[in-house]
Amino acid sequence: MARGLGAAPVSSCLALGAAAAVLLVAAALPSPASGVDVTAVLSAFPNFADFARLLASTPVASELSGRSSLTLLAVPNANLPQSPSAFVASAGADIADVLRYHVLLEYLFPFDLARLSPSGKLVTTLFQTTGRAPSDFGAVNLTVGGNSTVVVRSPAPSPGSNATVLGAVTAVPYNLSVLAVGGLIIPSGFDLAASESRPPPPVNITRVLTDARGFNVAASMLQASGVASEFEADEHSAGITVFVPTDDAFAGLPATDRLQSLPAERKAVVLRFHVLHSYYPLGSLESIVNPVQPTLATEHTEAGHFTLNITRVNGSIAIDTGIVQASITRTVFDQNPVAVFAVSKVLLPKEMFGRGDSGNTAMAPPSVAMAPRDAGSEKTPQTRLSSPPDLHSEDSESSASLLTAKGTWWCIGLMYLQLHLLLSLV
């Protein structure tokens, strides 16, 4: 019996060691989330040379160099006006802002366009991040027109120009997709008096959610809790990434979870649990090295608790809390140092909503639900680095459990040796 228990850790070790080797090699490769040179990509397509020169003549080209997971709506030479700058100025707009309106902060390819719902899809653009667009008028609405064509237009109620998607030009998978459109899109409803030199205002996350529509519950909870001010204060360090449940996600909560009946300080913990204390654009989340990420709730409790497991599953970003599995449905806002993403479910931490033996963890007071198991020990200092949970041995452990623990330490030693050998070969 003991021999069988000892064999399992050995086989697991070999698998883990191999995985560690793969991760080490992968870490040495260039990150797929790094930005791409858009003008260099377009240089391979002479029929887009004029649009590429237009990008290079404005700050937009350099703004794109540090971004990933973009879709560029490029206009062929034959579809550009003879003087694009004059054409844009006659509409009272700025050429750089119009070009920013052609940059969608989401990777889209023809397959994604073919799956558009009848109501269309609202996608945030680079212009929305400047703060010069009221409401969500810095987004574009992708709708299906006649003959199954896709039309790009402003969501503003007042009429603006629109363009038809002509087809795919090229793609750098998950970093950049280039789609050809039938002309420059001059959006309506912008503050035309706003100048390029005006600095963008501080990011008000509650306003971002209100403008984006479909986030009324999250916006009201943030406003009532006062946690939004914490988020904005944290923007100035490493930045923040906010996962925001949609109104439909809140409506789909089981009645047994009783989120709305939690006391204010417990609701604040749940809100902090939706925030990473680093700026992660979509491309960085797709290739994240350490899938287990601490949240702002971790900083207010202890290391190893209130973490999110972030992975890429079937082309989407999956977020696992231990009891809830959600996915990112769209980019709401993305401008360093703030990224805001819509998620399909409310992220409920297992430390508060896990169904333990008592069946009442969700309603336990903070001192019980978030305290270390050893009540006599000092509380672990707050940290932003995730660490594994403590191992607690019981006096009644069987010899088989001891063998498993020894096998675990042997496994760690083998992995360390493999990594050391690999490093010596690099």
Side-chain angles (χ1 to χ4, degrees):
M1 183 93 174
R3 187 180 298 116
L5 287 171
V10 172
S11 60
S12 299
C13 265
L14 295 176
L16 287 172
V22 171
L23 287 174
L24 182 64
V25 173
L29 299 175
S31 168
S34 58
V36 295
D37 188 337
V38 175
T39 52
V41 171
L42 288 178
S43 65
F45 303 92
N47 55 327
F48 291 92
D50 293 344
F51 188 80
R53 280 193 292 270
L54 199 60
L55 277 175
S57 68
T58 68
V60 180
S62 60
E63 291 172 11
L64 298 184
S65 63
R67 285 183 169 271
S68 60
S69 292
L70 303 174
T71 298
L72 178 66
L73 305 178
V75 184
N77 300 340
N79 296 74
L80 277 173
Q82 187 171 6
S83 175
S85 297
F87 174 77
V88 169
S90 66
D94 176 85
I95 185 62
D97 282 344
V98 169
L99 291 175
R100 291 185 182 101
Y101 196 64
H102 288 68
V103 179
L104 313 187
L105 301 184
E106 189 172 329
Y107 181 88
L108 298 171
F109 211 57
F111 178 74
D112 301 297
L113 301 182
R115 297 189 301 171
L116 286 175
S117 67
S119 60
K121 179 181 178 69
L122 198 66
V123 182
T124 304
T125 75
L126 186 61
F127 188 85
Q128 182 77 33
T129 68
T130 65
R132 292 191 287 274
S135 186
D136 60 353
F137 296 166
V140 295
N141 198 5
L142 304 178
T143 57
V144 180
N147 300 322
S148 298
T149 58
V150 176
V151 179
V152 186
R153 53 168 54 89
S154 169
S158 54
S161 64
N162 55 62
T164 300
V165 177
L166 305 176
V169 179
T170 187
V172 180
Y174 307 124
N175 272 14
L176 174 67
S177 173
V178 181
L179 303 177
V181 292
L184 282 177
I185 310 166
I186 308 296
S188 58
F190 289 122
D191 179 7
L192 302 180
S195 67
E196 180 74 20
S197 60
R198 188 178 75 183
V203 178
N204 183 321
I205 294 176
T206 305
R207 180 189 169 188
V208 166
L209 297 180
T210 303
D211 290 347
R213 302 177 189 176
F215 301 97
N216 295 328
V217 177
S220 62
M221 286 183 67
L222 278 175
Q223 181 118 18
S225 68
V227 175
S229 60
E230 294 180 21
F231 298 173
E232 291 157 19
D234 286 334
E235 294 173 16
H236 304 294
S237 51
I240 59 172
T241 301
V242 186
F243 302 115
V244 187
T246 62
D247 290 340
D248 289 341
F250 278 102
L253 275 175
T256 54
D257 286 324
R258 297 174 291 181
L259 175 61
Q260 296 299 339
S261 64
L262 289 177
E265 67 272 13
R266 304 291 277 158
K267 284 184 182 177
V269 173
V270 175
L271 291 172
R272 295 186 187 106
F273 185 61
H274 286 70
V275 183
L276 306 182
H277 197 280
S278 289
Y279 165 68
Y280 287 106
L282 193 61
S284 296
L285 289 176
E286 288 172 339
S287 59
I288 199 165
V289 175
N290 179 14
V292 179
Q293 288 290 315
T295 65
L296 289 192
T298 307
E299 298 178 20
H300 287 75
T301 55
E302 59 179 306
H305 288 246
F306 292 92
T307 59
L308 295 174
N309 193 306
I310 302 172
T311 54
R312 183 177 177 83
V313 178
N314 297 327
S316 300
I317 306 298
I319 304 173
D320 192 340
T321 74
I323 58 173
V324 172
Q325 291 184 336
S327 61
I328 292 178
T329 56
R330 72 179 177 100
T331 300
V332 179
F333 185 91
D334 182 359
Q335 177 66 47
N336 195 353
V338 179
V340 181
F341 301 103
V343 291
S344 59
K345 294 183 180 179
V346 180
L347 305 179
L348 302 177
K350 62 180 182 295
E351 290 84 354
M352 292 172 58
F353 293 86
R355 300 297 184 252
D357 294 339
S358 66
N360 197 31
T361 309
M363 301 308 295
S367 59
V368 173
M370 294 183 289
R373 292 190 183 181
D374 185 0
S377 62
E378 294 183 1
K379 187 175 181 180
T380 303
Q382 293 182 5
T383 176
R384 288 175 183 163
L385 297 177
S386 58
S387 63
D390 295 334
L391 296 174
H392 299 274
S393 60
E394 302 293 340
D395 294 336
S396 59
E397 283 183 331
S398 65
S399 59
S401 299
L402 291 173
L403 282 172
T404 303
K406 290 178 180 179
T408 301
W409 286 111
W410 184 87
C411 174
I412 294 172
L414 178 60
M415 289 176 60
Y416 177 82
L417 178 61
Q418 286 179 315
L419 291 175
H420 179 73
L421 291 174
L422 283 170
L423 286 171
S424 65
L425 294 175
V426 176

